Amino acid sequence: MIVKEYIDTSDERLYGALVPLAQIMIMAEDSDDNPLIMDFADTAYMSPVFVLSLIVLFSNKQNISFKNLDSKLIEIGVETFGIKPDQMRWTEFIAIMERYLL
């Protein structure tokens, strides 16, 4: 099943991210154990709350793959369900974190 939802969570209110997230959750649940492809082609903006929620939602899902991830989503590890400092060298983790310094 391909999940391709228009995502624009640029609204600063917390519930702005909940509507597309709920729609994605429903589609993901409907896929049962079938392969799930999350396609981000129609994504305008994803808030940090939305991205973290997706990571948690999909972390328990088997047979999932991602298409059309932008470089920021790849950098924070959406494909691997988040940055995992316990599975990388300390220097790698520090290098990733230094990118977020102001």
Side-chain angles (χ1 to χ4, degrees), residues 78-91:
V78 168
E79 291 176 302
T80 58
F81 308 109
I83 297 170
K84 297 179 180 176
D86 59 325
Q87 297 177 6
M88 60 179 41
R89 290 188 327 250
W90 177 250
T91 55

Side-chain angles (χ1 to χ4, degrees), residues 6-69:
Y6 176 72
I7 303 169
D8 183 2
T9 58
S10 56
D11 186 341
E12 293 183 15
R13 295 171 293 209
L14 181 60
Y15 68 83
L18 296 179
V19 172
L21 183 64
Q23 292 168 334
I24 290 169
M25 286 174 65
I26 290 167
M27 288 186 263
E29 290 298 320
D30 287 345
S31 73
D32 297 322
D33 290 329
N34 297 322
L36 180 68
I37 301 168
M38 185 67 204
D39 188 348
F40 291 99
D42 292 335
T43 300
Y45 177 80
M46 287 192 284
S47 67
V49 169
F50 183 82
V51 172
L52 290 173
S53 299
L54 273 184
I55 289 171
V56 170
L57 171 67
F58 291 138
S59 65
N60 293 327
K61 185 80 174 154
Q62 300 296 320
N63 299 322
I64 185 166
S65 60
F66 301 95
K67 287 177 57 176
N68 299 308
L69 286 170

